[in-house]
Amino acid sequence: MNISGVKGEIIMNILICDTAGIVETTSGDQVVTNSPISCMQAICDNHFDLIVIAMGPKKIRERNAFLELCYALKEGEKSRDIPLLVLLPAKHRSLLEHLQMAGVDFAEIVDWKTISAEQLQQITHQLNGARRPYRILKEICPYISYQVIDTRRELMVCGADRCRLVLGPARLADLCETSDHIYCPYFKKPKFLNAKSGRGANATTETEQ
């Protein structure tokens, strides 16, 4: 499956919104913008086959601006039908939920500090159903709760343990953010019976990278 879902179609023009300088180099068919405003302007002036938003480690306000851009792109007359790919520095259930609600087509977890044109091309050529936000969300425990520390950082805790258990990087990577979370004793017998009780965060919090 290619990203447009149309057999044989080849992506030629890619618009990239990258305010963090993640995309290191670009090829001739890639246009890079450095703000949501310039991204929207580029849509008005040109035709693109794919839009890529690179979300690096950012402050809350910058993350919200990118989420607003996603909503605007999927609602805009010229951009709503263009496949939208969001690159994330890490799995984040709340953020992925917002991307799904916005209508984002694909999400990819990218833990590199920079991405070359060749690496980006490889990602775009491998887009498929597994990269849909809802598919990634299925692997993440619904009890992860995000508690704000400051404008850049958050603490991940287990909502199934009354938010007393702090979730470190190793536990998140090995269990909580994988399909194996269903075997976790806290998931099997949560202290809070209502799954929504573990959803104490929204997309305005961010983990320090």
Side-chain angles (χ1 to χ4, degrees):
M1 174 182 175
N2 57 56
I3 64 169
S4 66
V6 180
K7 184 176 180 181
E9 184 174 343
I10 300 175
I11 295 174
M12 297 299 295
N13 300 311
I14 301 176
L15 173 62
I16 304 167
C17 185
D18 175 23
T19 63
I22 295 175
V23 180
E24 195 171 52
T25 59
T26 60
S27 61
D29 58 355
Q30 297 174 358
V31 175
V32 179
T33 61
N34 58 12
S35 72
I37 293 176
S38 59
C39 178
M40 294 300 295
Q41 184 60 51
I43 288 290
C44 294
D45 298 337
N46 304 277
H47 168 75
F48 296 98
D49 303 295
L50 173 68
I51 302 171
V52 178
I53 296 178
M55 285 191 177
K58 298 181 181 300
K59 295 182 179 180
I60 292 173
R61 182 171 56 187
E62 294 171 330
R63 171 183 281 186
N64 287 344
F66 272 111
L67 287 174
E68 290 174 4
L69 175 61
C70 291
Y71 277 99
L73 289 171
K74 299 312 291 186
E75 293 173 358
E77 183 177 352
K78 292 194 64 175
S79 55
R80 66 168 64 105
D81 295 325
I82 303 175
L84 176 57
L85 163 67
V86 175
L87 304 179
L88 301 173
K91 289 182 180 179
H92 191 293
R93 177 182 47 74
S94 182
L95 179 55
L96 283 163
E97 287 174 344
H98 279 263
L99 295 180
Q100 182 180 359
M101 287 188 291
V104 169
D105 299 281
F106 302 99
E108 180 76 7
I109 311 303
V110 179
D111 57 1
W112 311 317
K113 292 184 179 179
T114 59
I115 303 174
S116 68
E118 291 75 19
Q119 289 171 321
L120 180 59
Q121 185 178 51
Q122 183 179 12
I123 291 173
T124 59
H125 286 177
Q126 294 178 346
L127 292 178
N128 52 44
R131 268 74 175 183
R132 303 287 186 183
Y134 79 90
R135 292 287 295 274
I136 302 175
L137 279 167
K138 285 185 176 180
E139 298 182 351
I140 303 175
C141 178
Y143 290 112
I144 298 176
S145 180
Y146 305 87
Q147 297 183 353
V148 179
I149 298 176
D150 54 34
T151 59
R152 290 187 64 91
R153 298 176 299 167
E154 67 190 358
L155 188 68
M156 278 74 78
V157 295
C158 178
D161 187 41
R162 300 189 178 97
C163 295
R164 297 177 301 182
L165 175 65
V166 176
L167 305 174
R171 188 181 182 91
L172 287 167
D174 296 339
L175 182 63
C176 306
E177 295 178 339
T178 75
S179 56
D180 287 341
H181 74 265
I182 61 175
Y183 302 112
C184 173
Y186 296 105
F187 180 85
K188 289 182 176 181
K189 298 185 68 174
K191 301 290 176 61
F192 292 132
L193 297 180
N194 186 350
K196 291 184 179 180
S197 64
R199 300 186 175 187
N202 53 44
T204 62
T205 59
E206 181 159 351
T207 303
E208 184 181 47
Q209 300 298 317

